[in-house]
Amino acid sequence: MNSGPALVSILRQGDTLVASVHTALDDSEMVRFQEDLVRQIGEYRARGVIIDVAALDVIDSFASRTLQTIADIARLRGAVTVIVGIRPEVAFAMVRLGMGMGEVTTALDLEEGMAHLTRLRDPGSARG
């Protein structure tokens, strides 16, 4: 078992899961992250999922597809996913390489991601 620092943390905030990716993940670690997050969506009956990728200085095509897959699975399980914290240089590289997040909602940071989920739950509670 790996005794180093956590690569990803998944915290529960009410009915929202906040997953923070702390360092670049290889393909097997991305798959493990996907499995852990999907399991916790069911376990905690999450209605919202925020994935914070601010610590990543690159998002390759496998990571991009995996994040999209997580969002698709979460949606089928009744949860909305928001990806937050994509760095400007990462966004630029993704666009130049023809990669995107598809239909997955993105937000600037964790605060905006939480506000987006709040607006979806109660459109009258958060204007702007």
Side-chain angles (χ1 to χ4, degrees):
M1 180 160 218
N2 185 3
S3 62
L7 303 177
V8 177
S9 59
I10 302 173
L11 306 172
R12 187 174 76 171
Q13 177 78 27
D15 66 354
T16 299
L17 294 177
V18 179
S20 297
V21 181
H22 302 292
T23 188
L25 305 176
D26 65 28
D27 292 356
S28 65
E29 292 164 338
M30 273 307 280
V31 170
R32 174 66 189 265
F33 166 55
Q34 175 182 318
E35 292 168 351
D36 289 346
L37 187 53
V38 168
R39 179 185 49 77
Q40 288 189 38
I41 289 168
E43 182 178 331
Y44 295 115
R45 304 179 68 80
R47 294 292 160 242
V49 176
I50 295 178
I51 302 174
D52 186 350
V53 296
L56 300 183
D57 56 3
V58 67
I59 296 178
D60 65 16
S61 61
F62 184 81
S64 177
R65 281 192 314 272
T66 303
L67 292 170
Q68 290 176 43
T69 299
I70 291 169
D72 289 343
I73 294 169
R75 180 180 46 78
L76 290 170
R77 307 248 349 193
V80 175
T81 301
V82 181
I83 309 291
V84 303
I86 298 175
R87 293 181 180 191
E89 60 274 14
V90 173
F92 180 75
M94 290 175 72
V95 169
R96 296 265 326 232
L97 294 171
M99 295 172 14
M101 294 311 301
E103 298 297 316
V104 180
T105 300
T106 59
L108 184 62
D109 56 25
L110 182 58
E111 182 179 354
E112 286 193 16
M114 292 294 277
H116 177 75
L117 291 177
T118 299
R119 284 190 301 273
L120 288 176
R121 289 183 184 123
D122 185 8
S125 71
R127 297 198 187 336

